[in-house]
């Protein structure tokens, strides 16, 4: 690796502030290089040292990291610390309370949707609540290895439940509480969950959402699919206990055979619960992510590797120190929340903010107000949130004291220079490094990322690999490219936190990530490496959409649209969007007798919201009398993408069956799109 800044003179570099370097874990670039070198050249030693931090009931029996990435040599597998025994919950809670004396330390400042609702939870309170929940889950019949579906908003009970599962060896499958009943059902059926944990209702901004009703609809769908595995539904009284609505606006449907109120079984349960000693490679959780075929993939993570990797990345990437107050604005329903609200921060004994609300409620300065209120020092959010708040200018920030901030992080999509500079100059007041962290649900934790006191920054680049990570760029033929290059981003070897599979589907796991280039994990992202060896993510190279930092597949949106009785065919592409990064542009071919009008458009949008959730709502829907297809009948998405973006230079169209289609589509494109 070359020293950054020496080769590439074209891009301005931003160097770490000295103040941060004084007591940083990795205080300069040479220290990063030395640690990185050790992690690659002596991985056994490196990982052995790192796991000293945690409690192991039994030691590993073989090598720390064992794997096969080459499908031509047999099954793909990854194992970390095979033979070791431990418990995730014990390591992130009991160890902090009893070994590190952090019982009185705040684990979470919970800040509700309304600024009037807040609560503080210390490590010992968290441990007690988790044990109570663990005992209640056992009482509901949950055993080691069982899957528990969690459909909760950003409330403390969400953290209690996931850690309770980890304590008793159950596997949590959290479904973002903005997903529809159909999406929830699909995930419950795939993981065959035996218990569903949800809440009566929640306010998101001013909107009241009846979570119990959606949950009941989901269970009905499971039943219709002939796969109702859920025996019990545990319901948190969140709306009933924590809103100030004078009279109830919510009807909570109730099924006496299945439903149980949280306060009736959890609050009365014992505060003591022995952790279940688990194998290092036992499953910890399943988290669904969109797949290019339309059916979501249940990404499976296991205990020891994920524990170590989220611990290390949190510590080094945010340069965590004991007196920090850290805040990640993601929802725990996504991987960012799993790794960097729950497991990584708790493994480090950190104090975090847990925020239920949205950035613009009850006013557009809410995030800045919270930073001031809790004196947040490390702040992690997504480019889409930055772009949204940029629109309101500097004024909402100037009302608050943001001087506590030290490090800013971003995740989820490439950050455009304008948003980067606003984040750096306006939010961070030119004082805080911006760590642009590239990673995926599948990677478990950061894989390309700066370290704030060590890595000179280039706006828009996720910079360099984390310890133990070996990126490579391949061309179409699978050849590794050296030096400055652009192509497929792949990884040559696993690191402890990488996924172990797709739940119940080894074949799909291998086909999706390992088949195209045997010997490599294929991310699905395009990437450029510059003269300094810095990595720049150029975006997805498959049929995925990245809307506000959330991945969706074109196929799942198309499937939802095609369910409408008027639709003969649907094709969906991404289109640039000023706030969301990318938005959803749909081409619809109607059945003969149907008319394309406003009512139909609204029905189609509703259909997608119902099938997937509000995040997938189409932004543009265009009538397409016919779609551009090859002679063999394949839709030419490249052409549709260019029409949506109004790019007139379409290149080679010789494979198109009927070139006239393109003219018609151009003449009718939605003018408001890019
Ligand atoms: O395309 C990349 C983009 O988000 C994808 C992973 O999405 P998901 O599994 O939902 O996880 C999101 C949170 C980790 C990646 O394949 N992505 C994520 N972070 C970045 C990014 N693209 C560019 N820069 C990033 N920092």
């Amino acid at each position: 690796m070359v020293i950054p800044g020496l080769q590439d003179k074209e891009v301005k570099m931003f160097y770490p502030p000295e103040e941060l370097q004084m007591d940083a874990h990795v205080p300069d670039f040479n220290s990063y290089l030395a640690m990185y070198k050790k992690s690659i050249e002596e991985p056994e030693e490196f990982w052995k040292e790192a796991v000293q931090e945690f409690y192991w009931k039994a030691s590993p029996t073989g090598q720390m990291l064992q794997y096969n990435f080459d499908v031509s040599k047999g099954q793909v597998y990854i194992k970390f610390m095979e033979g070791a025994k431990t418990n995730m919950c014990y390591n992130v809670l009991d160890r902090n309370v009893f070994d590190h004396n952090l019982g009185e330390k705040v684990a979470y400042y919970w800040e509700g949707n309304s600024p009037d609702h807040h609560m503080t939870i210390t490590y010992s309170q968290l441990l007690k609540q988790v044990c109570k929940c663990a005992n209640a889950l056992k009482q509901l019949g949950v055993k080691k290895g069982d899957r528990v579906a969690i459909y909760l908003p950003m409330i403390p009970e969400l953290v209690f439940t996931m850690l309770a599962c980890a304590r008793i060896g159950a596997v949590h499958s959290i479904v973002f509480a903005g997903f529809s009943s159909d999406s929830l059902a699909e995930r419950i059926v795939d993981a065959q969950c035996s218990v569903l944990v949800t809440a009566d209702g929640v306010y998101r901004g001013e909107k009241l959402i009846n979570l119990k009703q959606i949950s009941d609809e989901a269970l009905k769908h499971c039943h219709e699919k002939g796969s109702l595995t859920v025996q019990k539904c545990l319901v948190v009284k969140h709306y009933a206990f924590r809103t100030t609505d004078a009279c109830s606006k919510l009807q909570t449907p109730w099924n006496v055979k299945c439903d149980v109120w949280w306060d009736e079984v959890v609050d009365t349960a014992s505060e003591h619960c022995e952790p279940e000693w688990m194998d290092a490679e036992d499953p910890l959780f399943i988290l669904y992510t969109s797949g290019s075929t339309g059916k979501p993939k249940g990404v499976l993570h296991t205990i020891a590797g994920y524990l170590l990797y989220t611990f290390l990345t949190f510590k080094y990437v945010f340069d965590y120190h004991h007196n920090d107050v850290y805040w990640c604005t993601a929802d725990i329903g996504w991987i960012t929340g799993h790794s960097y609200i729950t497991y990584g921060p708790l493994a480090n004994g950190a104090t975090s903010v847990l925020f239920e609300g949205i950035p613009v409620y009850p006013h557009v300065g809410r995030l800045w107000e919270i930073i001031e209120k809790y004196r947040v020092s490390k702040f992690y959010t997504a480019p889409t949130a930055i772009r949204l708040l940029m629109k309101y200018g500097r004024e909402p920030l100037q009302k608050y004291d943001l001087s506590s901030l030290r490090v800013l992080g971003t995740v989820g999509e490439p950050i455009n220079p304008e948003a980067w500079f606003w984040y750096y100059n306006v939010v961070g007041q030119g004082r805080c490094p911006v760590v642009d962290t590239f990673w995926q649900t599948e990677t478990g934790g950061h894989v390309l990322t700066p370290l704030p006191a060590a890595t000179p920054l280039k706006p828009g680049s996720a910079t360099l690999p984390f310890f133990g990570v070996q990126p490579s760029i391949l061309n179409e033929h699978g050849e590794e490219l050296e030096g400055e290059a652009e192509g497929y981003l792949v990884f040559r070897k696993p690191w402890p936190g990488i996924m172990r599979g797709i739940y119940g589907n080894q074949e799909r796991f291998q086909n999706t990530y390992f088949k195209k280039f045997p010997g490599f994990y294929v991310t699905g992202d395009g990437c450029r490496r510059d003269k300094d060896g810095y990595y720049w993510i150029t975006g997805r190279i498959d049929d995925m959409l990245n809307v506000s930092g959330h991945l969706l597949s074109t196929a799942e949106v198309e499937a939802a649209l095609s369910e409408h009785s008027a639709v003969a065919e649907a094709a969906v592409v991404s289109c640039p969007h000023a706030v969301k990064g990318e938005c959803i542009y749909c081409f619809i071919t109607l059945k003969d007798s149907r008319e394309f009008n406003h009512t139909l458009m609204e029905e189609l949008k509703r259909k997608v919201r119902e099938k997937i959730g509000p995040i997938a709502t189409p932004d543009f829907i265009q009538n397409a009398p016919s779609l551009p297809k090859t002679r063999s009948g394949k839709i030419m998405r490249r052409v549709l993408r260019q029409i949506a973006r109004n790019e007139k230079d379409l290149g080679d169209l010789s494979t198109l069956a009927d070139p006239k289609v393109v003219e018609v589509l151009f003449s009718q494109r939605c003018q408001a799109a890019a």
Side-chain angles (χ1 to χ4, degrees), residues 350-562:
T351 297
S352 302
V353 175
L354 182 66
F355 178 46
E356 183 191 20
I358 56 171
V360 291
Y361 178 82
H363 56 81
V364 299
R366 185 79 195 275
L367 299 191
W368 322 127
E369 183 181 46
I370 296 173
I371 291 175
E372 177 185 272
K373 177 174 175 185
Y374 297 109
R375 307 286 305 147
V376 171
S377 51
K378 311 280 162 82
F379 180 65
Y380 193 27
T381 194
T384 183
I386 300 166
R387 288 191 297 260
L388 172 73
L389 296 169
M390 258 169 79
K391 284 201 313 191
Y392 302 103
R394 287 169 184 243
E395 202 214 346
L397 283 104
Q398 282 163 347
K399 294 190 195 141
Y400 301 101
D401 176 7
L402 305 185
S403 63
S404 56
L405 288 172
R406 291 287 170 274
V407 175
L408 302 173
T410 136
V411 57
E413 53 181 311
I415 183 164
N416 48 312
E418 203 192 345
W420 196 97
F421 282 107
W422 196 81
Y423 202 25
Y424 184 80
N425 290 321
V426 180
V427 181
Q429 297 156 351
R431 190 185 66 240
C432 310
V434 172
V435 288
D436 177 353
T437 61
F438 167 83
W439 59 296
Q440 306 175 298
T441 307
E442 293 87 339
T443 67
H446 308 140
V447 281
L448 299 178
T449 178
L451 302 185
T455 317
L457 305 172
K458 298 186 187 190
S461 168
T463 72
L464 297 165
F466 189 74
F467 305 133
V469 173
Q470 279 182 280
S472 191
I473 295 184
L474 305 186
N475 64 15
E476 191 55 48
H477 310 294
E479 290 153 357
E480 282 193 78
L481 304 175
E482 301 295 330
E484 270 185 278
E486 186 163 345
Y488 293 86
L489 176 67
V490 300
F491 294 102
R492 203 187 309 217
K493 282 182 180 165
W495 51 93
I498 191 175
M499 71 188 301
R500 299 303 195 258
I502 293 178
Y503 184 72
N505 203 338
Q506 175 74 13
E507 199 186 336
R508 192 171 179 204
F509 171 57
Q510 297 190 169
N511 288 346
T512 309
Y513 304 103
F514 297 94
K515 197 169 152 198
K516 190 170 173 71
F517 301 121
F520 296 95
Y521 165 79
V522 181
T523 58
D525 283 292
C527 186
R528 178 170 73 81
R529 188 169 45 220
D530 70 14
K531 288 193 187 87
D532 291 323
Y534 273 41
Y535 291 87
W536 301 72
I537 304 295
T538 53
R540 299 291 304 188
I541 37 186
D542 48 13
D543 288 331
M544 303 293 271
L545 304 153
N546 191 329
V547 180
S548 302
H550 302 309
L551 279 192
L552 294 166
S553 77
T554 52
E556 67 184 321
V557 182
E558 287 163 6
L561 291 165
S562 302

Side-chain angles (χ1 to χ4, degrees), residues 464-669:
L464 297 165
F466 189 74
F467 305 133
V469 173
Q470 279 182 280
S472 191
I473 295 184
L474 305 186
N475 64 15
E476 191 55 48
H477 310 294
E479 290 153 357
E480 282 193 78
L481 304 175
E482 301 295 330
E484 270 185 278
E486 186 163 345
Y488 293 86
L489 176 67
V490 300
F491 294 102
R492 203 187 309 217
K493 282 182 180 165
W495 51 93
I498 191 175
M499 71 188 301
R500 299 303 195 258
I502 293 178
Y503 184 72
N505 203 338
Q506 175 74 13
E507 199 186 336
R508 192 171 179 204
F509 171 57
Q510 297 190 169
N511 288 346
T512 309
Y513 304 103
F514 297 94
K515 197 169 152 198
K516 190 170 173 71
F517 301 121
F520 296 95
Y521 165 79
V522 181
T523 58
D525 283 292
C527 186
R528 178 170 73 81
R529 188 169 45 220
D530 70 14
K531 288 193 187 87
D532 291 323
Y534 273 41
Y535 291 87
W536 301 72
I537 304 295
T538 53
R540 299 291 304 188
I541 37 186
D542 48 13
D543 288 331
M544 303 293 271
L545 304 153
N546 191 329
V547 180
S548 302
H550 302 309
L551 279 192
L552 294 166
S553 77
T554 52
E556 67 184 321
V557 182
E558 287 163 6
L561 291 165
S562 302
E563 280 198 11
H564 191 287
S565 60
V567 173
E569 195 164 26
V572 172
V573 295
S574 71
C575 187
H577 186 277
V579 173
K580 300 180 189 181
E582 284 182 1
C583 69
I584 301 178
Y585 193 115
C586 313
F587 294 87
I588 303 285
T589 307
L590 294 179
K591 288 186 182 153
D592 276 348
S593 56
R594 304 302 290 256
E595 191 196 337
F596 190 84
N597 55 27
H598 183 75
T599 317
L600 177 71
M601 270 209 276
E602 289 308 307
E603 279 173 26
L604 290 171
K605 286 185 183 173
R606 192 164 353 112
K607 191 89 204 164
V608 177
R609 270 199 297 271
E610 276 166 20
K611 293 301 288 182
I612 307 171
I615 47 164
T617 309
D619 295 83
F620 300 102
I621 302 183
Q622 177 177 344
N623 185 19
S626 48
L627 292 167
K629 290 186 180 168
T630 60
R631 274 171 251 276
S632 60
K634 212 169 167 266
I635 296 174
M636 287 185 74
R637 284 169 192 287
R638 169 181 71 81
V639 174
L640 289 177
R641 220 173 283 132
Q642 287 177 292
I643 294 169
R645 291 162 196 227
N646 205 14
E647 291 168 5
K648 296 267 164 58
D649 184 8
L650 290 179
D652 180 13
L653 293 179
S654 57
T655 52
L656 210 57
D658 177 7
K660 278 204 256 13
V661 171
V662 175
E663 263 169 59
V664 176
L665 292 181
F666 255 121
S667 67
Q668 295 180 3
R669 68 178 285 280

Side-chain angles (χ1 to χ4, degrees), residues 140-157:
L140 297 180
V142 179
K143 296 181 302 297
K144 176 178 171 177
D146 287 354
R147 275 81 53 216
V148 173
I150 307 178
Y151 187 66
L152 284 173
M154 286 286 285
I155 55 177
E157 287 82 356

Side-chain angles (χ1 to χ4, degrees), residues 106-176:
V106 174
Y108 291 106
Y109 290 116
W110 179 71
E111 176 80 11
N113 181 62
S114 154
D116 298 334
H117 299 143
H118 41 83
M119 153 183 9
T120 295
I121 304 157
T122 64
Y123 271 86
S124 61
Q125 287 166 339
L126 183 56
L127 175 58
K128 281 182 192 160
Q129 291 301 326
V130 168
C131 286
K132 279 167 167 284
C133 180
N135 285 323
L137 289 177
K138 281 205 235 172
Q139 205 186 313
L140 297 180
V142 179
K143 296 181 302 297
K144 176 178 171 177
D146 287 354
R147 275 81 53 216
V148 173
I150 307 178
Y151 187 66
L152 284 173
M154 286 286 285
I155 55 177
E157 287 82 356
L158 172 52
V159 179
F160 303 162
T161 313
M162 62 200 295
L163 293 174
C165 289
R167 193 160 190 92
I168 62 175
V171 181
H172 58 72
S173 170
I174 301 181
V175 181
F176 170 59

